[in-house]
Amino acid sequence: MGRWEPNAAGRLREAAMDLYLEQGFEQTTVAEIAARAGLTARTFFRYFTDKREVLFGGAELLHERLVRALEDAPADATPIEAVAAALTAIAELLVDREFSGRRQQVIDANAELRERELIKMATLSAALTDGLRTRGVRDSDARLAGEAGIAVFRVAFDRWVRSKDDRMLAQVVNEALSQLRTLVAAS
């Protein structure tokens, strides 16, 4: 093995996903992930703090992009329009449907990982709520729009990873938001 191997992080991520799906998250060790990738455990820890980070790395980027997009939404945007802009922005970061689907399978199979995913979603919801409050939206409206936005995102994400068509996640998110608007208008 050479001192430097190209795309070490990607190889580690792929090896981890393969092993998580083959033998389960809990049963997989960092040493096994590194060996499958043709690297050392030490190299693994240069890229990831622990084996959960393979699944949850990038959460900070999603959070930052969501907050920035909400701040950048037009001043006259309604709360749900501002939320839509933020959700579209984070959806544009998630383009690898195969990886996302495999990741979701691993998370669905492990209660601890499901809990961590829920915490991540709650954090995004809180960021939407706080951002809407900053925009001058009344507290109860901000919370409702933030929670509804994350619910829409979760439904759209699930549809996207399970679908066989070529639509991007951002398109599925916007379709789900449109569906929610139709449901609310019909009430």
Side-chain angles (χ1 to χ4, degrees):
M1 183 175 0
R3 288 184 53 103
W4 180 83
E5 294 285 335
N7 194 22
R11 289 180 22 228
L12 288 162
R13 188 175 289 110
E14 284 302 314
M17 292 303 296
D18 289 345
L19 287 166
Y20 295 163
L21 290 168
E22 289 169 16
Q23 61 192 35
F25 175 81
E26 288 295 329
Q27 293 73 28
T28 301
T29 67
V30 167
E32 290 171 320
I33 294 167
R36 173 79 62 101
L39 299 165
T40 65
R42 184 175 179 177
T43 301
F44 178 92
F45 289 113
R46 284 189 197 130
Y47 295 97
F48 305 103
T49 56
D50 61 31
K51 66 183 190 173
R52 287 183 310 260
E53 200 62 26
V54 171
L55 301 167
F56 294 99
E60 300 83 19
L61 178 61
L62 282 178
H63 187 272
E64 290 168 12
R65 176 73 64 95
L66 178 120
V67 169
R68 190 173 343 117
L70 192 60
E71 290 170 351
D72 292 345
D76 63 345
T78 66
I80 205 68
E81 289 169 343
V83 166
L87 297 179
T88 300
I90 64 171
E92 290 170 350
L93 292 174
L94 302 172
V95 296
D96 188 342
R97 183 192 325 241
E98 181 184 348
F99 178 82
S100 294
R102 294 172 72 207
R103 175 189 176 275
Q104 196 59 49
Q105 283 181 306
V106 172
I107 290 170
D108 289 345
N110 182 287
E112 177 189 330
L113 298 175
R114 287 192 308 271
E115 181 179 5
R116 174 123 180 226
E117 182 76 353
L118 287 172
I119 291 168
K120 181 181 88 175
M121 290 294 123
T123 300
L124 293 175
S125 175
L128 283 173
T129 300
D130 291 344
L132 289 169
R133 284 183 192 127
T134 300
R135 292 174 65 88
V137 176
R138 194 176 55 184
D139 184 60
S140 62
D141 291 344
R143 183 149 187 239
L144 181 59
E147 293 283 345
I150 293 304
V152 165
F153 186 82
R154 290 179 63 200
V155 167
F157 181 83
D158 185 64
R159 287 178 183 169
W160 178 66
V161 297
R162 297 179 195 288
S163 71
K164 304 292 184 211
D165 60 38
D166 292 338
R167 294 177 302 157
M168 298 300 291
L169 177 56
Q171 183 180 352
V172 181
V173 166
N174 286 313
E175 289 168 3
L177 282 163
S178 179
Q179 182 182 7
L180 178 62
R181 287 181 185 112
T182 300
L183 288 170
V184 170
S187 299

